[in-house]
Structures are given as structure tokens and as C-alpha cells.
Amino acid sequence: MLKARITGTGLYVPKKVLTNLDIEKMVDTSDEWIRERTGIRERRIAAEEEAASDLALMASNEALKSAGLKARKLDLIIVATVSGDMPLPSTACILQHRIGAKKAAAFDVNAACSGFIYALSTADAYIRAGIYRRVLVVGSEVLSRLTDWTDRSTCVLLGDGAGAVVLEATDGDRGILSVKLNADGSMWDLLHIPAGGSRMPATEKTVKEGLHYMKMRGNETFKVAVRTLEKLVLSTLKEHKLKPEDISLLIPHQANLRIISATAKRLGLGLEKVMINLDRYGNTSAASIPIALDEAVRSGRVREGDYIILEAFGGGLTWASALIKW
Ligand code: COA
């Protein structure tokens, strides 16, 4: 039976650091409030000339290097993003050209913060079906461009960055064991960008009213996230006859430390088994899991044979998990 195994990981974050103290000077908030309510201390902000494909390119080169694979060998590139370079073409196509992956098909996936796991699942399905053997999956976001820097309830949360993984077909027992994807569109308006699409095209008025920025009902999102994530992880474990203690590392989407801690507590997992880096990067949407995964791998927190779980929750609403034997 064919499986998809992650053979390389990489990340890139922009150089500019924006601390909570910097944000204190922009809106009515405080470092203390942000740390206590979210766990975030600082986030990265892309340079003016950097767009999602630039971040994706750097992260992808790292992932290919660690997999020991040349870009021209790739069969498929999937980029998960809500902040692509432009609405048309896909950021994946721009990346395909810039990375020199001449024979790879390329497309984007939009499932907001769950985007990386949705993209991973797509890659996994192509590999299992024997259609493609080598796939690059990237989460890349420049959320700072979709952020209303006068809205304290959202601007403190978000950051820019990219993470990438190379997946290759294998016959062994290591690799992606299962992926679960979920959506509930009835709550689409908890997290959305009203203007700039076909529903409300860009006009002078929409720009003036800031309707191209992300709008979020944070508190409601928070409650649904905690409820949903516990159930999701437990059902993933049950399906594979595993217990929470069999998991070596949980890599959650980095949205809010309170969501992460509450989920870990409900699962009976100590925080030493949970990857947390949102204090340094904030919420980077589809990029957060591959960034955290790369840091976990490079710091030796993931070892061969370990069971790890990725889980995410985000706009759509969407939520997703993946169980991997490393
Ligand atoms: N600084 C200071 N005060 C702030 C603030 C900020 N940056 N942002 C909001 N507040 C205020 C609110 O105005 C409100 O004041 P009020 O009580 O006078 O009306 C108060 O803090 C509480 O707001 P509330 O939204 O209930 O806070 P909260 O405990 O839910 O925390 C979030 C807010 C956004 C941190 C939290 O809801 C959250 O993280 N939600 C999930 C968001 C998320 O992860 N979304 C992405 C999903 S992938």
C-alpha cells in the first residue's frame, strides 16, 4: 500500500519583528493584555516588496534541500493561502515558475487556517492513488496586508510567514496515516473579508470603509474552536486505536495559547508534548503548522517512529487533523 511520507521541511519568516510594545503605540492595547489573552509576544511582518510567493519560495527551497530533492523532480505543488500574491493566477503557479519545477502541476487551496492540512490531505490522496510521487505542500501568508491596523481585536493576533514540506511516495509503514477534514459554512461570517471578490468588488467606497480587511468575531470563534478540536483529535486517535499518551507531539495551529492549552488539557496531554511557537510568530494562518513542524523537526522534538498529530481550526469554518507516523 502506497503512503505519503514527509521527507523534507522548511520555513521562512520575514526579518521585521513587530512586538506587542510596538503595537501599544498603534492601538489602545497593552503587552500584558495581548500576552494574557493570546500568548503572543511578537510577530513577523513582510517587507514592502515581499508577497506570499516570495515567502513560499524561501521555505520551499529549505524543504527541498532537507529532502535532498531537485525542484524539477516535483510532480505537484499545492499552496495553502488566503493572502496569495494576486487573485489570479494562483500563488502555486508563480512558485512553480520561480522554483523551476517545470513538470509540476500547481494550484492553491483556500481553507484559511486549516489550509495546510487540507493541502496535505490532497497531496496524500494523489500519492496514495499512485497519480503523483513527489509533492510540495506550502502554507504561506502575508496577513499583514489583510489586517486593519486600527482594529485592536484582530491586529494583535496576526503575523506573516511560510512553511513547506516535501511528500514522497513510500511502501513503508511511516508516513501520513490518516487525515480528517471538516467544514461548516453556516458560520462563514465568523471570519471573513467582505470586499474584493465577486460579492463586493473593490471600489473607492469599500477601500475607504476598510472592507478589504479581515473581520473576526474572536470570542465566538474561540468557543467553537475549543469544543471542536478535542472531539477531532479524540476521534482521530480512536480510529487508530491510540491513546493520547501514545502521541509524542501535538502540533496545533498557532491561533491562541488559551485554545491550545484548553485542548491539550481536555486531552490529558502535558504542554511538554505540544509544539508552541505563537509567542514569536502570532497566528500565521495556513503557514502556522508547517512552520511549527519544521521547528519541531530541526530541534529534535520529532524522532523516527513517533506518532504526531497536526490539528487546525479556522475560517470557513473549517477544521482538520492529520495523524503521522514519523
Ligand atoms: N487590547 C485590549 N483590549 C482588547 C483588545 C486588545 N487588543 N481586543 C479586544 N479587547 C477588549 C474588547 O473590546 C472587550 O472589551 P469590552 O469587554 O469592554 O467590550 C474585551 O477586551 C474582551 O473582548 P473579548 O473579545 O471577549 O476577549 P476574548 O477573551 O475573547 O479575547 C481574542 C479576544 C481575540 C484574543 C480571543 O477571542 C481569540 O483569540 N479568539 C480566537 C481568535 C482566533 O484564533 N481566530 C482565528 C481562528 S484560526
Side-chain angles (χ1 to χ4, degrees), residues 234-265:
L234 284 177
S235 70
T236 306
L237 291 174
K238 196 171 162 203
E239 206 171 272
H240 291 269
K241 300 191 173 54
L242 293 170
K243 299 194 181 69
E245 54 268 32
D246 298 323
I247 297 303
S248 301
L249 193 64
L250 177 70
I251 304 186
H253 165 52
Q254 307 285 310
N256 183 312
L257 184 59
R258 284 155 58 216
I259 298 181
I260 294 173
S261 311
T263 310
K265 194 172 166 195

Side-chain angles (χ1 to χ4, degrees), residues 27-30 33-34 37-38 113 152-154 156-157 191 216-222 253 255-256 258-259 283 313-315:
V27 289
D28 179 16
T29 188
S30 68
W33 191 96
I34 304 171
R37 297 291 181 117
T38 70
C113 301
R152 68 175 184 176
S153 67
T154 54
V156 301
L157 305 172
L191 244 168
M216 181 168 67
R217 304 222 300 270
N219 194 273
E220 285 161 73
T221 311
F222 186 101
H253 165 52
N256 183 312
R258 284 155 58 216
I259 298 181
N283 179 348
F313 182 90

